[in-house]
């Protein structure tokens, strides 16, 4: 009977987790403890089943006194018992009954190991289903199975009494690998060739990413194959460091180096873009503010959706570059650690080759040495640039305070121009390339010749020269402020410094005399413009005050012809007590040069609605933006349109007292002006009164609207002082 009862209870034991007190067995279901001592060999499973023996234990009587007896009772007897049965037979007796009954349960039983294995497997399975880690099941097996409800021993107590007789089958197993590792391992075993190919390909890509990042040029015209088949010294030093580092420091250093390399790659891309568009590299201190202007330009050119898409793509690419370089460096570092001997030999050979090539000056071509220090040089240059920028800010603040005409009395300023209606007009992106480039020059030169004849026929004369702009390809406000203030405003920090001060500008000098009213016509200004006070402009007509009802032409808010017509209607045609000093910014020649407005009969300009059909029929930015030749052609047409609009206005509305100064603010982008083009822009002074031009005869400027190749070239900031001096202003620092 005892055997049959034990067999029935064994099945219950298999159904309940061993690390949770059973809810099915009560003390009434089991025989008395003395019966357990006298059982036969066939009744041995009764002892090995924790659920059967749990009620036999008298743990409630003295649970605290029995815990330390477990190691003392089991230590001498464990070697005699079978490994699978010993822990489960001894643990409950030692912790529940003071009598040494465990040795009688150590008779060999063939079926016990199977029961034990089944019990262990069931416990692990059920433990995993309830969220308990598999490795905890064997440790809590004995106390949880034998202790009554409410008195389960703590895991720390169970672990404090290890049994040396426990077999390998009862040893806690290592955590199972993650599923993706098991899947990957199985796939590699099933397709070993494909796995090897994939591994080698991944390593090759990682190596290529690191090499390209280390050797990437900062100018588009220098991106060629020869630039990437060199030995970067940074890679050699990095490999040597990663080989000797332990695992955790190696991964940390590799991750940090990868992120740094990714950041440098992003800056290199910015350098390429800035060199392409602005003729200079990216300034890590000052140029972040330009991204908002770039976003506005993209929105005006491609629409809001297109601008958001481009911005999202740019952010995605930045994240991808950072992740790719980081993972690549980590992979190469781990590979070097796994193959230390090979990696060490390879690094040593490359180091010797680099030193040899550097010592002998070996080059692929002029300016492309095999032994490369490109990344170190780039980092050094950026560090020096930051230092120069910070120093320049303090030095420029001192320079800006010195002004040769700051204290000149009003009655001693501009005495040679009293009574003249003055116009200073900037033509967007009107650069020297428009006059000299073989693609653009024929059309532009023909227009300048034709417009000069119109001026001559109307009684006007002109003289022209060259000025070197402080900016290139964009940032027009830097050119405007340089010309007006007489200071070299080549970056945003200088612009903020000078516009926050009280520097005397050209419009400000006319205003200071009290003999002119100053106005500004700026269709490109679409929001608040606090610089108005700095420039000395009394009244500003921005894009919202010119009454335009027509379409935008990409970035340009309105055609130049309309802006000049609105100036005549709103300002120039009105009666004034004083002559006007007008500052006008024309924008139709702003990139992307598509679509371009067309000249219409002056009496049909109206509110600008006539331009709707012209804008729809024009080319789209996408039609020309990626084609250098088409961009040049359309840029040349836009310059022709702007110059013609201005000269037509002057001939129609100018008089004997009108004096016009017009110039370009900067060269167009490199894709149009050409790589390494100068920063020169044309400047012309037009007047009917011959005395006006006689005062600048010593400048040796060319007659007409087109300067010659040998015409003198000045820096743009030199114009203010020369102009004020030529027309009677007295220096008074």
């Amino acid at each position: 009977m005892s055997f049959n009862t034990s067999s029935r209870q064994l099945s219950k034991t298999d159904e309940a987790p061993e690390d949770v007190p059973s809810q099915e067995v009560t003390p009434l279901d089991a025989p008395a403890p003395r019966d357990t001592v006298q059982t036969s060999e066939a009744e041995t499973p009764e002892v090995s089943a924790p659920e059967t023996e749990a009620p036999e234990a008298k743990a409630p009587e003295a649970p605290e006194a029995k815990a330390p007896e477990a190691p003392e009772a089991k230590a001498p007897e464990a070697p005699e018992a079978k490994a699978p049965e010993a822990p489960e037979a001894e643990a409950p007796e030692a912790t529940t009954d003071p009598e040494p009954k465990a040795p009688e349960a150590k008779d060999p039983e063939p079926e016990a190991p199977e029961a034990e294995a089944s019990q262990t497997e069931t416990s692990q399975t059920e433990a995993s289903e309830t969220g308990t880690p598999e490795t905890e099941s064997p440790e809590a097996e004995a106390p949880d199975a034998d202790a009554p409800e409410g008195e389960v021993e703590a895991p720390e107590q169970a672990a404090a009494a290890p049994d040396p007789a426990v077999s390998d089958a009862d040893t806690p197993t290592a955590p199972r690998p993650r599923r993706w590792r098991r899947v990957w391992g199985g796939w590699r075993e099933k397709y070993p060739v494909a796995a090897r190919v994939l591994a080698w390909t991944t390593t090759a890509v990682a190596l290529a990413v690191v090499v390209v990042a280390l050797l990437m040029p900062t100018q588009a015209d220098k991106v060629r194959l020869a630039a990437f088949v060199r030995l970067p010294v940074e890679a050699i030093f990095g490999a040597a460091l990663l080989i000797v580092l332990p695992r955790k420091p190696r991964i940390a250093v590799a991750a940090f180096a990868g992120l740094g390399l990714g950041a440098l790659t992003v800056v290199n891309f910015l350098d390429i873009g800035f060199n392409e568009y602005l003729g200079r590299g990216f300034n890590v201190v000052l140029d972040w503010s330009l991204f908002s202007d770039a976003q506005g330009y993209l929105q005006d050119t491609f629409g809001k959706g297109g601008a958001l898409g481009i911005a999202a793509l740019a952010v995605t690419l930045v994240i991808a570059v950072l992740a790719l370089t980081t993972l690549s460096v980590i992979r190469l570092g781990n590979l070097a650690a796994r193959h230390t001997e090979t990696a060490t030999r390879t690094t040593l050979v490359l180091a010797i080759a680099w030193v040899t090539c550097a010592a002998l000056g070996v080059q692929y071509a002029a300016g492309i040495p095999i032994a490369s220090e490109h990344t170190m040089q780039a980092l050094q240059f950026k560090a020096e640039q930051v230092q120069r920028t910070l120093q320049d800010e303090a030095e420029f603040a001192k320079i800006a305070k010195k002004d040769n005409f700051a204290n000149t009395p009003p009655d001693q300023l501009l005495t040679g121009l009293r009574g003249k209606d003055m116009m200073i007009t900037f033509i967007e992106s009107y650069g020297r390339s428009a006059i000299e480039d073989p693609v653009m020059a024929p059309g532009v030169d023909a227009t300048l010749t034709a417009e000069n004849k119109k001026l001559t026929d109307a009684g006007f004369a002109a003289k022209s020269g060259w000025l070197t702009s402080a900016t290139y390809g964009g940032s027009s406000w830097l050119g405007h402020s340089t010309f007006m203030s007489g200071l070299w405003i080549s970056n945003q920090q200088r612009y903020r410094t000078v516009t926050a001060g009280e520097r005397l500008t050209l419009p400000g000098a006319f205003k200071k005399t009290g003999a002119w009213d100053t106005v500004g016509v700026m269709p490109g200004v679409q929001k608040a413009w606090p610089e108005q006070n700095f420039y000395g402009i009394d009244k500003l007509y921005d894009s919202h005050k010119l009454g335009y009802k027509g379409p935008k032409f990409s970035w340009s808010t309105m055609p130049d012809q309309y802006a000049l017509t609105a100036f005549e209607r709103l300002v120039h045609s009105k009666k004034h007590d004083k002559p006007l000093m007008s500052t006008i910014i024309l924008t139709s020649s702003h990139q992307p040069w598509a679509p371009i407005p067309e000249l219409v009969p002056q009496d049909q300009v109206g509110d600008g609605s006539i331009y709707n059909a012209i804008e729809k029929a024009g080319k789209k930015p996408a039609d020309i933006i990626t084609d250098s030749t088409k961009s040049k052609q359309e840029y040349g047409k836009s310059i022709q349109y702007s110059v013609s609009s201005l000269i037509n206005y002057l001939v129609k509305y100018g008089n004997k007292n009108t004096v016009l100064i017009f110039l370009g603010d900067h060269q167009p982008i490199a894709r149009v002006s050409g790589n390494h083009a100068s920063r020169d822009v044309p400047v012309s002074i037009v007047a009917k009164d011959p005395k006006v031009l006689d005062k600048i005869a010593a400048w040796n400027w060319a007659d007409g609207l087109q300067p010659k190749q040998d015409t003198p070239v000045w820096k743009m900031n030199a114009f203010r002082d020369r102009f004020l001096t030529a027309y009677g202003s007295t220096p008074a620092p």
Side-chain angles (χ1 to χ4, degrees):
M1 286 297 292
S2 175
F3 175 78
N4 294 337
T5 302
S6 301
S7 298
R8 287 194 300 272
Q9 293 179 356
L10 181 59
S11 62
K12 292 183 179 180
T13 303
D14 292 337
E15 294 175 358
E18 293 180 352
D19 55 351
V20 180
S22 173
Q23 303 297 327
E24 299 180 8
V25 181
T26 64
L28 297 177
D29 295 329
R34 289 188 179 274
D35 295 341
T36 305
V37 179
Q38 298 173 358
T39 53
S40 63
E41 296 179 1
E43 295 172 341
T44 303
E46 192 175 282
V47 179
S48 62
E51 294 299 337
T52 303
E53 292 300 318
E56 295 178 293
K58 297 179 181 180
E61 297 177 3
E64 297 180 0
K66 295 168 186 175
E69 295 179 8
E72 298 177 5
K74 291 188 290 185
E77 301 296 340
E80 300 178 10
K82 277 193 173 181
E85 295 181 5
E88 300 194 6
E90 291 175 6
E93 294 298 332
T95 57
T96 60
D97 196 335
E99 298 181 18
K101 299 175 182 180
E104 298 184 12
K106 294 184 290 186
D107 294 336
E109 176 61 35
E111 297 181 1
E114 296 179 4
E116 284 280 344
S118 175
Q119 185 179 12
T120 303
E121 182 178 356
T122 303
S123 172
Q124 293 177 352
T125 303
E126 293 176 351
S128 64
E129 292 175 356
T130 57
T132 305
E134 296 175 7
T135 55
E136 296 179 2
S137 179
E139 298 176 2
E141 189 174 1
D144 288 349
D146 295 341
E149 281 186 305
E151 296 190 26
V152 180
E153 290 183 0
E156 292 82 356
Q157 294 175 341
D163 191 346
V166 177
S167 65
D168 293 339
D170 293 329
T171 303
T173 58
R176 299 176 66 188
R178 294 180 180 178
R179 183 174 181 180
W180 71 269
R181 290 184 179 274
R182 297 198 304 271
V183 173
W184 169 242
W187 185 85
R188 286 193 305 176
E189 293 178 0
K190 189 174 182 180
Y191 305 102
V193 176
R196 285 196 299 270
V197 171
L198 179 61
W200 279 104
T201 302
T202 305
T203 301
V205 170
L207 181 61
V209 167
V210 172
V211 171
V212 169
L214 289 172
L215 298 175
M216 178 181 292
T218 57
Q219 297 181 9
D221 61 318
K222 294 183 179 180
V223 178
R224 45 188 172 178
L225 182 61
F228 298 102
V229 288
R230 298 185 290 165
L231 293 177
V233 68
E234 302 84 5
I236 297 173
F237 276 109
L241 178 62
L242 294 178
I243 289 173
V244 300
L245 287 176
R247 181 179 180 277
K248 289 186 177 180
R250 182 184 71 249
I251 294 177
V253 170
F256 180 79
L259 284 173
L261 190 59
L264 181 62
T265 303
V266 172
V267 173
N268 284 341
F269 276 119
L270 290 174
D271 279 335
I272 292 174
F274 271 66
N275 280 314
E276 183 72 10
Y277 281 85
L278 301 181
R280 61 175 178 82
F282 176 73
N283 189 309
V284 296
V285 178
L286 302 176
D287 287 340
W288 299 105
S289 61
L290 298 181
F291 287 106
S292 60
D293 297 306
Q295 180 69 10
Y297 165 72
L298 291 174
Q299 184 169 330
D300 292 330
T301 304
F302 300 104
K304 187 174 182 179
L308 289 176
I310 294 174
L313 178 61
V315 172
T316 301
L317 288 176
V318 169
I319 295 174
V321 168
L322 293 174
L324 192 58
T325 53
T326 301
L327 293 175
S328 297
V329 175
I330 291 175
R331 179 175 181 83
L332 295 177
N334 291 339
L335 184 66
R338 289 197 301 268
H339 306 281
T340 304
E341 185 176 350
T342 302
T344 302
R345 288 199 302 266
T346 303
T347 303
L348 182 60
V349 170
L350 292 177
I352 295 174
W354 189 93
V355 172
T356 302
C357 292
L360 298 178
V362 182
Q363 298 182 351
Y364 282 115
I368 307 180
I370 294 179
S372 169
E373 300 175 89
H374 176 75
T375 299
M376 295 177 62
Q377 292 173 348
L379 290 174
Q380 182 179 0
F381 175 80
K382 290 300 180 184
E384 292 174 353
Q385 183 186 58
V386 171
Q387 184 178 6
R388 288 195 305 269
T389 300
L390 298 177
Q391 292 176 349
D392 177 75
E393 182 178 352
E395 293 174 0
F396 180 75
K398 296 178 182 179
I399 295 174
K401 292 180 180 179
K402 298 178 181 179
D403 189 346
N404 293 333
F405 294 91
N407 298 318
T408 300
D411 60 350
Q412 296 180 21
L413 283 171
L414 299 165
T415 56
L417 292 173
R418 299 299 173 100
K420 303 298 183 183
D421 271 334
M422 297 297 305
M423 294 175 61
I424 297 179
T425 303
F426 290 92
I427 296 179
E428 172 66 36
S429 301
Y430 180 30
R432 185 166 187 159
S433 296
I435 296 176
E436 296 182 349
D437 185 271
V439 175
M440 301 171 289
V444 173
D445 290 348
T447 298
L448 292 175
T449 300
E451 299 304 325
N452 189 69
K453 186 176 185 305
K454 288 182 184 179
L455 290 175
T456 303
D457 293 343
F460 287 92
K463 285 187 175 293
S464 300
W466 301 111
L467 299 176
T468 301
S469 178
T471 185
Y472 176 98
S475 301
S476 300
W477 58 92
L478 302 182
H480 302 162
S481 58
T482 296
F483 181 81
M484 299 287 204
S485 70
L487 293 171
W488 189 253
I489 315 298
S490 56
N491 58 55
Q492 193 65 18
Q493 181 58 47
R494 287 191 167 204
Y495 180 78
R496 287 193 291 263
T497 300
V498 71
T499 55
E502 297 180 352
R503 178 82 177 182
L504 185 68
T505 65
L506 285 176
F510 283 94
K511 178 181 179 179
K512 184 177 180 179
T513 65
W516 281 272
D517 289 333
T518 57
V519 298
V521 178
M522 301 184 179
V525 175
Q526 304 179 53
K527 54 186 178 181
W529 195 57
E531 290 89 337
Q532 175 183 349
N533 293 329
F534 163 73
Y535 282 113
I537 296 175
D538 293 323
K539 192 167 184 178
L540 176 68
Y541 294 85
D542 59 16
S543 61
H544 305 292
K545 296 180 180 179
L546 293 173
Y548 182 65
K549 303 299 181 182
K552 291 182 67 175
F553 285 76
S554 293
W555 184 88
S556 179
T557 57
M558 62 191 70
D560 293 344
Q561 185 184 12
Y562 178 87
L564 292 166
T565 302
F567 165 67
E568 179 63 25
R569 182 182 73 251
L570 298 172
V571 182
H572 189 257
S573 63
K574 307 295 184 181
K575 289 185 178 181
H576 299 278
D577 297 333
K578 304 174 183 178
L580 291 174
M581 166 62 234
S582 306
T583 303
I584 303 173
I585 312 295
L586 301 180
T587 61
S588 290
S589 52
H590 193 287
Q591 61 179 325
W593 310 298
I596 301 173
E598 297 177 2
L599 290 171
V600 300
Q602 192 64 40
D603 58 355
Q604 297 181 18
V605 172
D607 63 359
S609 299
I610 191 175
Y611 294 106
N612 283 310
I614 297 174
E615 190 273 338
K616 290 180 180 178
K619 295 181 179 180
K620 305 301 179 185
D623 297 337
I624 69 167
I625 199 167
T626 58
D627 190 309
S628 178
T629 301
K630 290 182 179 179
S631 294
K632 287 185 176 185
Q633 293 170 346
E634 298 306 308
Y635 162 74
K637 293 177 183 178
S638 71
I639 295 297
Q640 296 174 49
Y641 169 79
S642 295
V643 171
S644 296
S645 296
L646 180 60
I647 300 304
N648 286 348
Y649 171 83
L650 183 63
V651 169
K652 185 174 181 64
Y653 299 108
N655 55 52
K656 64 179 182 179
N657 289 322
T658 302
V659 177
L660 169 67
I661 304 171
F662 77 96
L663 69 156
D665 46 20
H666 55 73
Q667 282 266 51
I669 61 176
R671 180 161 45 85
V672 171
S673 61
N675 294 324
H676 312 297
S678 73
R679 296 190 174 202
D680 298 346
V681 298
V683 56
S684 301
I685 298 180
V686 184
K688 271 191 175 182
D689 187 350
K691 295 180 181 178
V692 173
L693 298 182
D694 288 344
K695 291 183 181 298
I696 63 170
W699 291 2
N700 295 320
W701 281 15
D703 293 332
L705 296 179
Q706 186 173 347
K708 309 301 181 182
Q709 285 189 346
D710 59 350
T711 300
V713 180
W714 304 344
K715 294 187 70 174
M716 187 177 280
N717 62 309
F719 182 86
R720 190 206 70 158
D721 287 8
R722 293 197 179 199
F723 180 83
L724 292 176
T725 301
Y727 291 102
S729 301
T730 303

Short mmCIF file of all heavy atoms in Angstrom, two decimals, residues 692-712:
data_model
loop_
_atom_site.label_atom_id
_atom_site.label_comp_id
_atom_site.label_asym_id
_atom_site.label_seq_id
_atom_site.Cartn_x
_atom_site.Cartn_y
_atom_site.Cartn_z
N VAL A 692 30.49 115.06 -61.17
CA VAL A 692 30.44 113.91 -60.26
C VAL A 692 31.52 112.90 -60.62
O VAL A 692 32.25 112.39 -59.75
CB VAL A 692 29.04 113.26 -60.30
CG1 VAL A 692 29.04 111.97 -59.49
CG2 VAL A 692 27.98 114.22 -59.77
N LEU A 693 31.65 112.61 -61.90
CA LEU A 693 32.65 111.64 -62.33
C LEU A 693 34.05 112.24 -62.34
O LEU A 693 35.04 111.50 -62.20
CB LEU A 693 32.29 111.10 -63.72
CG LEU A 693 30.94 110.35 -63.81
CD1 LEU A 693 30.73 109.82 -65.21
CD2 LEU A 693 30.88 109.21 -62.79
N ASP A 694 34.14 113.57 -62.52
CA ASP A 694 35.47 114.19 -62.51
C ASP A 694 36.15 114.02 -61.15
O ASP A 694 37.38 113.93 -61.07
CB ASP A 694 35.35 115.68 -62.83
CG ASP A 694 35.00 115.92 -64.29
OD1 ASP A 694 35.15 114.96 -65.10
OD2 ASP A 694 34.54 117.03 -64.62
N LYS A 695 35.37 113.98 -60.08
CA LYS A 695 35.94 113.87 -58.74
C LYS A 695 36.59 112.51 -58.49
O LYS A 695 37.35 112.36 -57.53
CB LYS A 695 34.87 114.13 -57.69
CG LYS A 695 34.39 115.58 -57.66
CD LYS A 695 33.38 115.82 -56.58
CE LYS A 695 32.89 117.27 -56.57
NZ LYS A 695 33.99 118.25 -56.29
N ILE A 696 36.30 111.52 -59.34
CA ILE A 696 36.91 110.19 -59.15
C ILE A 696 37.84 109.84 -60.31
O ILE A 696 38.15 108.67 -60.53
CB ILE A 696 35.82 109.10 -59.00
CG1 ILE A 696 34.97 108.99 -60.27
CG2 ILE A 696 34.96 109.37 -57.77
CD1 ILE A 696 34.06 107.78 -60.28
N ALA A 697 38.28 110.83 -61.03
CA ALA A 697 39.15 110.58 -62.18
C ALA A 697 40.44 109.90 -61.76
O ALA A 697 41.01 109.08 -62.50
CB ALA A 697 39.44 111.90 -62.91
N ALA A 698 40.91 110.22 -60.55
CA ALA A 698 42.16 109.63 -60.07
C ALA A 698 42.03 108.15 -59.75
O ALA A 698 43.05 107.48 -59.52
CB ALA A 698 42.64 110.40 -58.85
N TRP A 699 40.84 107.65 -59.74
CA TRP A 699 40.66 106.22 -59.43
C TRP A 699 41.05 105.32 -60.61
O TRP A 699 41.22 104.13 -60.43
CB TRP A 699 39.18 105.94 -59.07
CG TRP A 699 38.76 106.55 -57.76
CD1 TRP A 699 39.51 107.33 -56.93
CD2 TRP A 699 37.47 106.44 -57.16
NE1 TRP A 699 38.78 107.71 -55.83
CE2 TRP A 699 37.51 107.17 -55.93
CE3 TRP A 699 36.28 105.81 -57.50
CZ2 TRP A 699 36.41 107.28 -55.09
CZ3 TRP A 699 35.19 105.92 -56.65
CH2 TRP A 699 35.25 106.65 -55.45
N ASN A 700 41.14 105.91 -61.79
CA ASN A 700 41.52 105.15 -62.99
C ASN A 700 40.52 104.03 -63.31
O ASN A 700 40.91 102.95 -63.77
CB ASN A 700 42.93 104.56 -62.85
CG ASN A 700 44.00 105.62 -62.76
OD1 ASN A 700 43.94 106.65 -63.47
ND2 ASN A 700 44.97 105.42 -61.88
N TRP A 701 39.28 104.31 -63.08
CA TRP A 701 38.24 103.35 -63.44
C TRP A 701 37.97 103.43 -64.95
O TRP A 701 38.23 104.45 -65.59
CB TRP A 701 36.96 103.64 -62.67
CG TRP A 701 36.99 103.12 -61.24
CD1 TRP A 701 38.09 102.70 -60.55
CD2 TRP A 701 35.89 102.99 -60.36
NE1 TRP A 701 37.76 102.31 -59.28
CE2 TRP A 701 36.38 102.48 -59.13
CE3 TRP A 701 34.54 103.27 -60.45
CZ2 TRP A 701 35.57 102.24 -58.04
CZ3 TRP A 701 33.73 103.03 -59.36
CH2 TRP A 701 34.23 102.51 -58.16
N ALA A 702 37.40 102.36 -65.49
CA ALA A 702 37.12 102.29 -66.92
C ALA A 702 35.85 103.06 -67.25
O ALA A 702 34.92 103.12 -66.44
CB ALA A 702 36.98 100.84 -67.37
N ASP A 703 35.79 103.65 -68.45
CA ASP A 703 34.58 104.33 -68.89
C ASP A 703 33.52 103.29 -69.25
O ASP A 703 33.82 102.23 -69.81
CB ASP A 703 34.88 105.21 -70.12
CG ASP A 703 35.79 106.38 -69.78
OD1 ASP A 703 35.76 106.83 -68.61
OD2 ASP A 703 36.56 106.81 -70.66
N GLY A 704 32.29 103.63 -68.97
CA GLY A 704 31.19 102.74 -69.30
C GLY A 704 30.83 101.81 -68.14
O GLY A 704 31.35 101.94 -67.02
N LEU A 705 29.94 100.86 -68.44
CA LEU A 705 29.42 99.95 -67.41
C LEU A 705 30.25 98.69 -67.24
O LEU A 705 29.95 97.88 -66.36
CB LEU A 705 27.97 99.53 -67.77
CG LEU A 705 26.93 100.65 -67.80
CD1 LEU A 705 25.57 100.08 -68.20
CD2 LEU A 705 26.84 101.34 -66.45
N GLN A 706 31.30 98.54 -68.06
CA GLN A 706 32.06 97.29 -68.03
C GLN A 706 33.53 97.58 -67.70
O GLN A 706 34.26 98.15 -68.49
CB GLN A 706 31.97 96.59 -69.40
CG GLN A 706 32.61 95.23 -69.42
CD GLN A 706 32.34 94.52 -70.74
OE1 GLN A 706 31.48 94.96 -71.52
NE2 GLN A 706 33.05 93.45 -70.99
N PRO A 707 33.98 97.17 -66.50
CA PRO A 707 35.41 97.37 -66.17
C PRO A 707 36.30 96.47 -67.02
O PRO A 707 35.87 95.41 -67.49
CB PRO A 707 35.47 97.00 -64.69
CG PRO A 707 34.31 96.09 -64.46
CD PRO A 707 33.24 96.53 -65.42
N LYS A 708 37.52 96.90 -67.19
CA LYS A 708 38.49 96.13 -67.97
C LYS A 708 39.25 95.17 -67.06
O LYS A 708 39.19 95.26 -65.84
CB LYS A 708 39.47 97.06 -68.68
CG LYS A 708 38.82 98.18 -69.46
CD LYS A 708 37.89 97.66 -70.55
CE LYS A 708 37.27 98.83 -71.34
NZ LYS A 708 36.32 98.35 -72.37
N GLN A 709 39.96 94.26 -67.69
CA GLN A 709 40.73 93.29 -66.90
C GLN A 709 41.81 93.97 -66.07
O GLN A 709 42.14 93.52 -64.98
CB GLN A 709 41.35 92.24 -67.83
CG GLN A 709 40.37 91.22 -68.36
CD GLN A 709 41.07 90.08 -69.08
OE1 GLN A 709 42.27 90.18 -69.41
NE2 GLN A 709 40.35 89.01 -69.34
N ASP A 710 42.38 95.06 -66.60
CA ASP A 710 43.46 95.74 -65.87
C ASP A 710 42.96 96.91 -65.02
O ASP A 710 43.76 97.68 -64.48
CB ASP A 710 44.53 96.23 -66.84
CG ASP A 710 43.97 97.19 -67.89
OD1 ASP A 710 42.71 97.33 -67.96
OD2 ASP A 710 44.75 97.81 -68.63
N THR A 711 41.67 97.06 -64.90
CA THR A 711 41.12 98.11 -64.04
C THR A 711 41.51 97.82 -62.60
O THR A 711 41.48 96.66 -62.16
CB THR A 711 39.59 98.17 -64.18
OG1 THR A 711 39.26 98.46 -65.54
CG2 THR A 711 39.01 99.24 -63.28
N PRO A 712 41.88 98.83 -61.82
CA PRO A 712 42.30 98.60 -60.43
C PRO A 712 41.25 97.84 -59.62
O PRO A 712 40.04 98.00 -59.82
CB PRO A 712 42.49 100.02 -59.88
CG PRO A 712 42.79 100.85 -61.08
CD PRO A 712 42.00 100.26 -62.20
#
